[in-house]
DNA sequence: TTAAGTTTCAAACGTCCGTTTCACTCAACA
DNA sequence: TGTTGAGTGAAACGGACGTTTGAAACTTAA
């Protein structure tokens, strides 16, 4: 949640403070007074700069999504081996999901905001998904269908794509469970890179095996 | 969210109504008046029967967890092949996560309550996890370590366990994303059984491959 | 310096919520 | 029949919240 220095006035301070407070307490429990106090601003500032509380929340959410990077050249280069592109996709996605550790001092708030939306999606949540997550998802679909080869059903491809997201996101979403059950689990921050490599191993191993299974059953039928 | 008929009085009606309203609106947005109206009870009923709103919420949450079934004999029978036991574990867990479809008419609320807790865990969340999720998690750990064989590190076993939970839970948690991106995805209810089989295939394939990888590197070193 | 436009401020407004109060009903029992 | 105690009901209390107000402070440009 790092905002460009351009918005360093009251409006920018409000956005930063709102991101923090919304994430910490949730949309309803977060009060305009909380946010303004944290932003060193008057109670009326929110309504002056954003109209109302809901508009401020929408601005925070949109800002959050817009910070996502796009895919790297490696992922897009269709001349490279599909497995290599998948590894690059997973490394970048895990980095995005778990934050840039050093730069970003308030990871976890991000996950909290995300979980809130998943529990009770706001009005323009579908728009944000379409705009910011669909392109990545289509790229993953293209890569996975190549890894799986020509004999895989559309449903199997889709299930594998969703499974890969599940592998990547689970720590971020279910940390309040994982940290209780595995009380010796390393902190998310220090664990991020190892997680990426594990997901790559787990997903690639599964995809290769599934490809072979389906090829076998395909040639057996032929 | 089906409560035993024993609690069919005002207290039971309040519990049922509260589960519905809390899930639909979240703890704070849900009002005592909402709940009481849905339970055909007076506003004072909540405070009379439960003390206050928070106690009612805690009661709902505990009731929700206590409905979980324990592991089947097949999962516990250490004389059976580990892969078979893993499949049984996954089938039961997916059934629990996605509900008993026909009996339970309000799946999704369950996921909403869960997501709310993940975003902002309540006071005795860790107790509930210890009591209701840790045993299952230990069982899975035992099974997975057997599937992976003797040459796998503790960290790898743990990561595989967490990954399996990720595979199983992702649809339930991220449905507001999945349903937007894959607009032709079948409904969760009708999809539950196919999901279980996919997770079994995906996880078992990955685990077998990982086992072979680690065995190879182990014998190479020896 | 003046005037217009923008931003901030303290204070207040109206509403909604959790909770409390107290009178009431009614079944159980002596 | 009279008494008791659990449960219900309508109404109100006190506080917190989002928002509004109108004047003050500041910025900008002629």
């Amino acid at each position: 949640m790092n905002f460009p220095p351009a918005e360093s006035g009251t409006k920018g301070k409000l956005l930063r403070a709102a991101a923090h407070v919304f994430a910490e307490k949730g949309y309803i429990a977060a009060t305009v007074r909380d946010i303004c106090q944290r932003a060193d601003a008057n109670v009326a500032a929110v309504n002056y700069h954003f109209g109302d509380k809901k508009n401020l929340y929408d601005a925070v959410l949109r800002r959050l999504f817009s910070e996502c990077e796009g895919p790297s050249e490696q992922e897009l280069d269709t001349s490279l081996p599909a497995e290599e592109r998948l590894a690059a996709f997973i490394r970048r996605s895990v980095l995005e999901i778990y934050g840039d550790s050093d730069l970003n001092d308030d990871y976890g708030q991000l996950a909290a905001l995300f979980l809130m939306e998943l529990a009770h999606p706001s009005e323009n949540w579908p728009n944000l998904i379409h705009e910011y997550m669909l392109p990545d998802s289509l790229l993953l679909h293209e890569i996975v269908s190549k890894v799986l080869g020509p004999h895989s059903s559309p449903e199997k491809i889709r299930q594998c794509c969703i499974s890969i997201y599940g592998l990547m996101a689970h720590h971020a979403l279910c940390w309040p469970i994982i940290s209780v059950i595995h009380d010796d689990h390393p902190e998310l921050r220090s664990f991020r890179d190892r997680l990426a490599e594990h997901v790559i191993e787990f997903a690639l191993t599964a995809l290769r095996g599934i490809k072979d299974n389906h090829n076998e059953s395909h040639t057996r039928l032929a």
Side-chain angles (χ1 to χ4, degrees), chain A:
Chain A
M1 272 177 259
N2 297 303
F3 300 102
E7 309 197 56
S8 55
T10 301
K11 197 167 178 177
K13 286 197 293 180
L14 281 173
L15 268 174
R16 270 187 296 273
H20 185 96
V21 178
F22 279 137
E24 188 172 273
K25 309 206 175 181
Y27 174 71
I28 304 180
T31 71
V32 172
R33 285 170 173 86
D34 276 347
I35 294 168
C36 289
Q37 188 175 4
R38 177 168 250 270
D40 272 323
N42 187 270
V43 224
V46 164
N47 299 82
Y48 179 77
H49 285 286
F50 292 94
D52 59 13
K53 184 185 178 183
K54 188 181 166 302
N55 273 344
L56 173 58
Y57 178 77
D58 287 345
V60 167
L61 213 61
R62 178 160 288 280
R63 171 60 52 87
L64 222 69
F65 271 94
S66 69
E67 283 170 14
C68 294
E69 292 179 29
S72 67
E73 290 182 14
Q74 197 180 6
E75 300 165 47
L76 295 169
D77 187 346
T78 52
S79 70
L80 292 174
E83 295 201 358
E84 195 175 310
R85 295 170 63 207
L86 181 58
F89 180 91
I90 291 174
R91 283 201 189 89
R92 171 180 63 91
S93 298
V94 168
L95 206 79
E96 254 171 25
I97 293 173
Y98 297 87
D100 277 344
S101 62
D102 297 328
L103 288 176
N104 202 339
D105 62 341
D106 49 12
Y107 164 75
Q109 304 178 352
L110 223 136
L113 275 173
F114 219 82
L115 285 162
M116 287 164 43
E117 282 295 317
L118 288 176
H120 303 103
S122 61
E123 203 177 327
N124 59 338
W125 172 256
N127 298 328
L128 293 171
I129 298 299
H130 263 114
E131 198 170 334
Y132 292 103
M133 303 200 65
L134 188 54
D136 262 31
S137 183
L138 291 175
L139 173 60
L140 178 61
H141 190 276
E142 184 254 326
I143 296 175
V144 165
S145 65
K146 281 196 176 141
V147 173
L148 284 177
H151 301 307
S152 52
S153 70
E155 164 143 344
K156 186 45 78 178
I157 297 171
R158 187 178 57 206
Q159 284 324 308
C160 287
C161 288
I162 296 175
S163 292
I164 290 171
Y165 270 108
L167 293 173
M168 296 193 297
H170 190 64
H171 277 83
L173 298 178
C174 292
W175 184 242
I177 298 178
I178 294 174
S179 63
V180 170
I181 286 183
H182 305 275
D183 55 0
D184 58 336
H185 195 294
E187 281 187 30
L188 278 187
R189 308 285 284 273
S190 66
F191 181 64
R192 195 193 54 198
D193 295 340
R194 268 181 287 166
L195 173 62
E197 298 311 313
H198 164 75
V199 171
I200 290 171
E201 181 188 19
F202 198 97
L204 274 183
T205 309
L207 261 47
R208 284 180 200 135
I210 289 173
K211 175 184 180 177
D212 293 343
N213 284 348
H214 291 216
N215 273 346
E216 275 175 30
S217 63
H218 189 265
T219 52
R220 210 182 304 131
L221 288 174

